[in-house]
Amino acid sequence: MKKENMHQSVEVIYEKVDQCPLVKSHLSFFQMVYVISGTGFLYINGNAMSYQQGNLMLLTPNDHYTFEISTTTEFLLVKLNSEYVKEYRSKSIDHIECLLYYATHLSGCILKRKEDEFLVKMISDSLLHAAQNKDIYDEDLITHYVNALIVIAARNIAKIKPSGVKENADKRILEIINYIQANIFFPQKIKVSVIAAQFDISDTYLGSYFKNHCGETIQSFISNYKIRLIEHRLSFSDMRINEIVSEFGFSDESHLNKFFKKHRNISLTGYRKAKVLQI
């Protein structure tokens, strides 16, 4: 299995494939895959999913994937390295956080808003044109198109329910999840008592209600979400530990390190060093 690397912060590549062999690959970067035409299957981390024209899929660092081509397929590949992710994050954290957090919960096409399919096609056509017709300011133009694609991907992914949420979950549980995610950096706002008061239900009922609909306790959901965001900062940003402490409202570095080690059985610096070695 080969490991794909890239030497630019962003690359836009057009590929037309008409053969059937499975090409195995291991990423060291983020990649959005838009299907211009064709059908087939994407095998990612052991899971199989079909693809067709108009699909937009997200592949992330260390994903193991293969494509099986059923009919001649045209792909537009938008590749983003970790430096691009870091730079983007400094400008607009919400969009990239959304992609990073939900990446491991995704399967197949990420487009959930029908009206966005047209926008993605237009951006894809524009990216393809810019990549194939070199001219002045092309790099700036491509960056704007790619950033627009990230925003559209993020708002579609935001509509995907977390993996543990049951299919018949009602609207209020989704509102509670949205509230937690929106206030994850404010410890006082995500106390069970505060969340219960916000949604006018009792503390006791909130606990059983959340677990019934999500398959885990509300405290577990909050901790797991927080851990994933901290992991992303350690992996894809240059933030110092004390900056992460401040952002998430921990009392000090020792408190944050104890919290992280409890859930990941490794220290913050140990985790960051391990990720650097992987890249």
Side-chain angles (χ1 to χ4, degrees):
M1 179 180 295
K2 69 175 182 178
K3 182 167 184 175
E4 292 186 53
N5 292 291
M6 58 184 296
H7 305 290
Q8 297 173 255
S9 61
V10 58
E11 293 180 11
V12 178
I13 300 173
Y14 167 81
E15 287 188 358
K16 186 173 183 179
V17 188
D18 56 9
Q19 297 180 351
C20 294
L22 295 175
V23 181
K24 297 184 178 181
S25 191
H26 179 201
L27 292 177
S28 63
F29 49 83
F30 290 89
Q31 179 170 283
M32 286 185 281
V33 180
Y34 180 70
V35 182
I36 299 172
S37 67
T39 58
F41 293 88
L42 166 63
Y43 296 84
I44 181 168
N45 301 327
N47 299 310
M49 56 208 74
S50 62
Y51 71 77
Q52 61 184 1
Q53 180 178 337
N55 283 176
L56 180 66
M57 297 167 287
L58 176 67
L59 303 174
T60 61
N62 298 316
D63 275 343
H64 297 268
Y65 78 93
T66 61
F67 279 102
E68 182 176 6
I69 311 302
S70 298
T71 61
T72 300
T73 300
E74 293 177 282
F75 290 119
L76 183 71
L77 311 176
V78 179
K79 302 181 178 184
L80 315 171
N81 71 10
S82 57
E83 291 304 315
Y84 188 91
V85 172
K86 289 176 183 178
E87 183 181 353
Y88 187 97
R89 182 187 172 279
S90 69
K91 298 173 183 175
S92 179
I93 189 172
D94 293 342
H95 304 144
I96 211 71
E97 288 291 9
C98 196
L99 266 65
L100 290 170
Y101 178 71
Y102 285 109
T104 56
H105 301 314
L106 304 177
S107 59
C109 181
I110 64 176
L111 294 178
K112 303 302 175 185
R113 299 178 81 251
K114 190 71 178 175
E115 52 271 40
D116 279 346
E117 293 177 6
F118 173 75
L119 288 177
V120 171
K121 184 181 185 307
M122 294 294 290
I123 293 172
S124 172
D125 290 343
S126 299
L127 277 169
L128 189 57
H129 182 271
Q132 295 179 339
N133 298 275
K134 297 297 183 181
D135 206 338
I136 189 172
Y137 302 135
D138 275 340
E139 196 171 316
D140 292 333
L141 193 58
I142 287 174
T143 297
H144 284 300
Y145 289 143
V146 169
N147 287 345
L149 199 58
I150 289 174
V151 174
I152 292 173
R155 77 176 180 187
N156 278 269
I157 291 172
K159 293 184 176 296
I160 300 173
K161 290 181 289 190
S163 58
V165 178
K166 297 180 179 179
E167 285 300 318
N168 61 347
D170 60 33
K171 181 181 178 182
R172 185 163 61 172
I173 195 67
L174 298 178
E175 291 175 347
I176 292 173
I177 289 172
N178 288 338
Y179 173 86
I180 291 170
Q181 292 174 341
N183 293 283
I184 197 67
F185 306 113
F186 307 99
Q188 294 301 319
K189 291 185 177 181
I190 53 176
K191 289 183 175 180
V192 172
S193 59
V194 175
I195 297 172
Q198 179 74 22
F199 291 90
D200 196 26
I201 54 182
S202 71
D203 297 15
T204 305
Y205 178 67
L206 174 60
S208 58
Y209 171 75
F210 193 93
K211 188 170 184 178
N212 180 53
H213 283 277
C214 297
E216 64 179 320
T217 67
I218 190 168
Q219 290 291 7
S220 175
F221 177 85
I222 291 171
S223 293
N224 288 333
Y225 183 60
K226 191 176 293 187
I227 282 290
R228 288 296 300 276
L229 296 180
I230 293 170
E231 285 178 332
H232 296 144
R233 281 150 178 73
L234 294 172
S235 300
F236 306 112
S237 83
D238 296 320
M239 289 181 72
R240 295 188 293 272
I241 301 300
N242 65 336
E243 291 176 317
I244 300 175
V245 167
S246 176
E247 184 181 28
F248 285 89
F250 286 91
S251 57
D252 51 38
E253 290 188 24
S254 176
H255 183 200
L256 171 58
N257 202 57
K258 184 177 180 180
F259 171 78
F260 190 83
K261 198 167 185 178
K262 175 183 176 182
H263 290 85
R264 290 294 182 263
N265 199 33
I266 188 173
S267 68
L268 296 159
T269 53
Y271 183 89
R272 174 167 268 171
K273 287 178 182 177
K275 286 297 178 181
V276 168
L277 291 175
Q278 286 181 10
I279 296 175

